[in-house]
Amino acid sequence: MGRRRAETGAAEAVSTPRRKAHRENEPVGRHFRPRAKAPLWLRITTIAVTAVLVLGVGAAGALVFKLQNNVTTAPLNAGVKNGDSGQPENADTGALQILILGTDTRDGANSQYGSEEDSTGEGNSDVMLLMDISADNSHVSVTSFPRDLIVPIPDCKPAAGGDPVAGTPAGQLNAALRVGPGCTVAAINDMTGLTIDHFMLADFTAVKELSNALGGVEVCVDHAMYDDDGSWLKLPAGKSLVQGEQALAFVRTRHAFGDSSDLARIKAQQYFLGSMVRKVKSEGTLTNLPKLYNLADVVTKNLTIDEGLANIPSMISIANRLAKIDLANVAFVTVPYEAYVADNARVQLKEPEAGQYFAALRQGTSLTGAPATASPSAAAASGTPSDTATVAPTTEAPVYDKAIQQVSVTNASAVVGRSIELLQALSTAGFTGAWQAGDVPSVNETQVLYGADMGDVAADVAALFKIPATAVKSDPTITGVSVVVGTDWASGTAFGAVVVPPDIVASTADDSAGCLTVNPLKYYPTPFVQ
């Protein structure tokens, strides 16, 4: 620096004519170079680029602000007992569950679809879809729950505030939305043993606007049809592009397809979603910022979402994760069900298949054959032989009569009917006096508890189910042996085993073959007039 200052000082001492001569002729010394003036085009370009950058940052901020202001939010989990948020700290990693709800409310902009009496409150859930993104982004499952499914409904805090609303041990799942979307989240959490991270609640307008934003969704039916029972859906045989009112009619119709049941409507909704996913992926919407913004604008205007999802980075993070997943690994599933014992017009979970399926979801099991990387917590829950000490089976005949031993099974797995197959296994093994102690609030860990002088019986019961020795514990308050089934063992008779029910996948997002079967009562005579 000192030398550079000295040279500068010497230069200043030169007279003005001398300095001019230096500029006109070769410079004196190699440290002195003439300062070239930037060309006009470069200066203009630099100013323009700078302006664009400033405007771009400002516009991006304005767009984010606009999207943020579009959002309507509600609490994620309204359950009185288990109302914690459960949302992930980082939406980029870990398994992620998003509950997608469609409401049949006729409130506000939906008033054209019903009477004034209908136009109040949250309504019921017309659509209930649980999207599960695996921790390693290798696969997605989309689980449909029938609207007529009878399950326990927990006590819930209303979204609008006020006193908690009492639940019921046997309520229709779609009615939980009347208390608020957070109550549906709480009910499905209790049912599945999962912890849902986010929810999205859409009304009729959302379906129309989203289909318009995508430029229509392709569907196919095997016969020209017209549904005159409320949806007014009219389609020619073969392929059609539906959007707006037609798209809404397609996902709403309950009478147009199959056997005219709600379960046939679920199949049509899965078909529509699969086609929509294919279109979004094929057009690169999830990685195209202008398209993604347009879609986000429509979504945020027409959905109610939880507070944790009400920010643009979370939405972009989820879009980025979905963009990486192969369509063949996006599986559509209807939760295993059977006729409800008290009313054949409704359905209940079919066990043990439903419990097995929920356990597979919790363990991050792929339903389509793609490899899945289990999280540390899932690996621990699975109780694999490599890291879990198990009780050695008894090699000698027991010195007690199995048939008279007091062995009970307490269901704390959050899976309805979980005790049934375990009682059957106990009976087959000789513990014919075993009984069901009932359902209790869920616990995370399975245990075998035993009272005085029952350690050997407890060890044999644990060995039967391959329950780790660390889970066998003395409890002076227990008479006999009590098997407490936790959420870490939601299916099967071998602890830690994950069993996927056969043929559980109804379709995948890349399954574009075939057309929906039209209910013959809704056939439309040909030639078809649009």
Side-chain angles (χ1 to χ4, degrees), residues 6-23 28 32:
E7 290 171 347
T8 303
E12 292 296 332
V14 179
S15 64
T16 301
R18 176 77 179 273
R19 286 160 57 189
K20 182 177 179 181
H22 288 168
R23 286 195 297 269
V28 178
F32 293 91

mmCIF file of all heavy atoms in Angstrom, residues 6-23 28 32:
data_model
loop_
_atom_site.group_PDB
_atom_site.id
_atom_site.type_symbol
_atom_site.label_atom_id
_atom_site.label_comp_id
_atom_site.label_asym_id
_atom_site.label_seq_id
_atom_site.Cartn_x
_atom_site.Cartn_y
_atom_site.Cartn_z
ATOM 1 N N ALA A 6 2.911 6.213 -2.887
ATOM 2 C CA ALA A 6 4.040 7.012 -3.368
ATOM 3 C C ALA A 6 3.921 7.247 -4.865
ATOM 4 O O ALA A 6 4.164 8.350 -5.355
ATOM 5 C CB ALA A 6 5.360 6.315 -3.045
ATOM 6 N N GLU A 7 3.564 6.225 -5.599
ATOM 7 C CA GLU A 7 3.425 6.383 -7.034
ATOM 8 C C GLU A 7 2.318 7.358 -7.360
ATOM 9 O O GLU A 7 2.416 8.170 -8.272
ATOM 10 C CB GLU A 7 3.139 5.026 -7.685
ATOM 11 C CG GLU A 7 4.344 4.094 -7.654
ATOM 12 C CD GLU A 7 3.975 2.714 -8.105
ATOM 13 O OE1 GLU A 7 2.767 2.426 -8.196
ATOM 14 O OE2 GLU A 7 4.887 1.910 -8.372
ATOM 15 N N THR A 8 1.208 7.265 -6.610
ATOM 16 C CA THR A 8 0.103 8.174 -6.849
ATOM 17 C C THR A 8 0.507 9.602 -6.588
ATOM 18 O O THR A 8 0.184 10.526 -7.340
ATOM 19 C CB THR A 8 -1.089 7.799 -5.946
ATOM 20 O OG1 THR A 8 -1.425 6.445 -6.210
ATOM 21 C CG2 THR A 8 -2.277 8.692 -6.208
ATOM 22 N N GLY A 9 1.271 9.780 -5.499
ATOM 23 C CA GLY A 9 1.731 11.131 -5.185
ATOM 24 C C GLY A 9 2.614 11.685 -6.277
ATOM 25 O O GLY A 9 2.529 12.845 -6.651
ATOM 26 N N ALA A 10 3.503 10.861 -6.822
ATOM 27 C CA ALA A 10 4.381 11.323 -7.903
ATOM 28 C C ALA A 10 3.580 11.706 -9.123
ATOM 29 O O ALA A 10 3.875 12.661 -9.816
ATOM 30 C CB ALA A 10 5.386 10.220 -8.242
ATOM 31 N N ALA A 11 2.554 10.973 -9.389
ATOM 32 C CA ALA A 11 1.734 11.272 -10.558
ATOM 33 C C ALA A 11 1.042 12.598 -10.405
ATOM 34 O O ALA A 11 0.888 13.350 -11.372
ATOM 35 C CB ALA A 11 0.705 10.164 -10.771
ATOM 36 N N GLU A 12 0.587 12.919 -9.196
ATOM 37 C CA GLU A 12 -0.111 14.175 -8.978
ATOM 38 C C GLU A 12 0.831 15.364 -9.162
ATOM 39 O O GLU A 12 0.403 16.467 -9.471
ATOM 40 C CB GLU A 12 -0.714 14.201 -7.561
ATOM 41 C CG GLU A 12 -1.849 13.215 -7.367
ATOM 42 C CD GLU A 12 -3.030 13.552 -8.255
ATOM 43 O OE1 GLU A 12 -3.219 14.733 -8.588
ATOM 44 O OE2 GLU A 12 -3.755 12.615 -8.635
ATOM 45 N N ALA A 13 2.154 15.144 -8.954
ATOM 46 C CA ALA A 13 3.113 16.241 -9.068
ATOM 47 C C ALA A 13 3.410 16.626 -10.508
ATOM 48 O O ALA A 13 3.968 17.662 -10.790
ATOM 49 C CB ALA A 13 4.431 15.844 -8.376
ATOM 50 N N VAL A 14 3.042 15.771 -11.443
ATOM 51 C CA VAL A 14 3.287 16.075 -12.859
ATOM 52 C C VAL A 14 2.332 17.172 -13.301
ATOM 53 O O VAL A 14 1.172 17.170 -12.948
ATOM 54 C CB VAL A 14 3.095 14.812 -13.708
ATOM 55 C CG1 VAL A 14 3.324 15.114 -15.179
ATOM 56 C CG2 VAL A 14 4.037 13.715 -13.229
ATOM 57 N N SER A 15 2.814 18.079 -14.122
ATOM 58 C CA SER A 15 1.970 19.171 -14.589
ATOM 59 C C SER A 15 0.853 18.631 -15.461
ATOM 60 O O SER A 15 0.937 17.540 -16.004
ATOM 61 C CB SER A 15 2.813 20.174 -15.392
ATOM 62 O OG SER A 15 3.312 19.555 -16.562
ATOM 63 N N THR A 16 -0.160 19.421 -15.649
ATOM 64 C CA THR A 16 -1.316 18.996 -16.443
ATOM 65 C C THR A 16 -0.937 18.615 -17.856
ATOM 66 O O THR A 16 -1.359 17.580 -18.353
ATOM 67 C CB THR A 16 -2.365 20.113 -16.473
ATOM 68 O OG1 THR A 16 -2.755 20.396 -15.140
ATOM 69 C CG2 THR A 16 -3.576 19.693 -17.285
ATOM 70 N N PRO A 17 -0.089 19.433 -18.575
ATOM 71 C CA PRO A 17 0.298 19.005 -19.930
ATOM 72 C C PRO A 17 1.014 17.669 -19.930
ATOM 73 O O PRO A 17 0.817 16.847 -20.814
ATOM 74 C CB PRO A 17 1.212 20.126 -20.390
ATOM 75 C CG PRO A 17 0.772 21.318 -19.608
ATOM 76 C CD PRO A 17 0.415 20.779 -18.271
ATOM 77 N N ARG A 18 1.870 17.468 -18.909
ATOM 78 C CA ARG A 18 2.628 16.209 -18.852
ATOM 79 C C ARG A 18 1.663 15.034 -18.679
ATOM 80 O O ARG A 18 1.822 13.996 -19.309
ATOM 81 C CB ARG A 18 3.607 16.286 -17.680
ATOM 82 C CG ARG A 18 4.387 15.005 -17.453
ATOM 83 C CD ARG A 18 5.507 14.868 -18.489
ATOM 84 N NE ARG A 18 6.262 13.672 -18.260
ATOM 85 C CZ ARG A 18 7.316 13.622 -17.413
ATOM 86 N NH1 ARG A 18 7.703 14.716 -16.737
ATOM 87 N NH2 ARG A 18 8.002 12.504 -17.300
ATOM 88 N N ARG A 19 0.667 15.213 -17.806
ATOM 89 C CA ARG A 19 -0.300 14.137 -17.567
ATOM 90 C C ARG A 19 -1.086 13.851 -18.843
ATOM 91 O O ARG A 19 -1.381 12.718 -19.167
ATOM 92 C CB ARG A 19 -1.251 14.506 -16.441
ATOM 93 C CG ARG A 19 -0.564 14.410 -15.071
ATOM 94 C CD ARG A 19 -1.272 15.204 -14.000
ATOM 95 N NE ARG A 19 -2.656 14.801 -13.864
ATOM 96 C CZ ARG A 19 -3.523 15.477 -13.115
ATOM 97 N NH1 ARG A 19 -3.134 16.568 -12.474
ATOM 98 N NH2 ARG A 19 -4.760 15.071 -13.011
ATOM 99 N N LYS A 20 -1.392 14.911 -19.598
ATOM 100 C CA LYS A 20 -2.116 14.723 -20.847
ATOM 101 C C LYS A 20 -1.271 13.938 -21.839
ATOM 102 O O LYS A 20 -1.760 13.049 -22.530
ATOM 103 C CB LYS A 20 -2.476 16.081 -21.443
ATOM 104 C CG LYS A 20 -3.289 15.965 -22.731
ATOM 105 C CD LYS A 20 -3.664 17.344 -23.234
ATOM 106 C CE LYS A 20 -4.454 17.242 -24.520
ATOM 107 N NZ LYS A 20 -4.822 18.576 -25.040
ATOM 108 N N ALA A 21 0.035 14.258 -21.852
ATOM 109 C CA ALA A 21 0.939 13.551 -22.760
ATOM 110 C C ALA A 21 0.995 12.075 -22.402
ATOM 111 O O ALA A 21 1.034 11.201 -23.262
ATOM 112 C CB ALA A 21 2.329 14.162 -22.708
ATOM 113 N N HIS A 22 1.009 11.822 -21.107
ATOM 114 C CA HIS A 22 1.032 10.426 -20.691
ATOM 115 C C HIS A 22 -0.219 9.680 -21.158
ATOM 116 O O HIS A 22 -0.162 8.519 -21.505
ATOM 117 C CB HIS A 22 1.148 10.341 -19.164
ATOM 118 C CG HIS A 22 2.503 10.720 -18.664
ATOM 119 N ND1 HIS A 22 2.771 10.942 -17.333
ATOM 120 C CD2 HIS A 22 3.690 10.909 -19.323
ATOM 121 C CE1 HIS A 22 4.045 11.252 -17.174
ATOM 122 N NE2 HIS A 22 4.620 11.249 -18.399
ATOM 123 N N ARG A 23 -1.364 10.341 -21.159
ATOM 124 C CA ARG A 23 -2.590 9.668 -21.583
ATOM 125 C C ARG A 23 -2.593 9.432 -23.092
ATOM 126 O O ARG A 23 -3.097 8.435 -23.571
ATOM 127 C CB ARG A 23 -3.821 10.499 -21.206
ATOM 128 C CG ARG A 23 -4.130 10.461 -19.715
ATOM 129 C CD ARG A 23 -5.520 10.966 -19.469
ATOM 130 N NE ARG A 23 -5.677 12.360 -19.875
ATOM 131 C CZ ARG A 23 -5.483 13.397 -19.066
ATOM 132 N NH1 ARG A 23 -5.102 13.193 -17.807
ATOM 133 N NH2 ARG A 23 -5.663 14.626 -19.498
ATOM 134 N N VAL A 28 3.712 5.552 -18.786
ATOM 135 C CA VAL A 28 5.026 5.483 -18.164
ATOM 136 C C VAL A 28 4.974 4.386 -17.106
ATOM 137 O O VAL A 28 4.284 4.517 -16.106
ATOM 138 C CB VAL A 28 5.400 6.828 -17.509
ATOM 139 C CG1 VAL A 28 6.766 6.705 -16.827
ATOM 140 C CG2 VAL A 28 5.404 7.928 -18.551
ATOM 141 N N PHE A 32 0.793 1.596 -14.744
ATOM 142 C CA PHE A 32 -0.173 2.605 -15.162
ATOM 143 C C PHE A 32 -0.830 2.174 -16.463
ATOM 144 O O PHE A 32 -0.169 2.075 -17.487
ATOM 145 C CB PHE A 32 0.532 3.968 -15.329
ATOM 146 C CG PHE A 32 1.033 4.531 -14.040
ATOM 147 C CD1 PHE A 32 2.324 4.246 -13.597
ATOM 148 C CD2 PHE A 32 0.221 5.337 -13.246
ATOM 149 C CE1 PHE A 32 2.788 4.750 -12.392
ATOM 150 C CE2 PHE A 32 0.708 5.843 -12.059
ATOM 151 C CZ PHE A 32 1.979 5.551 -11.618
#
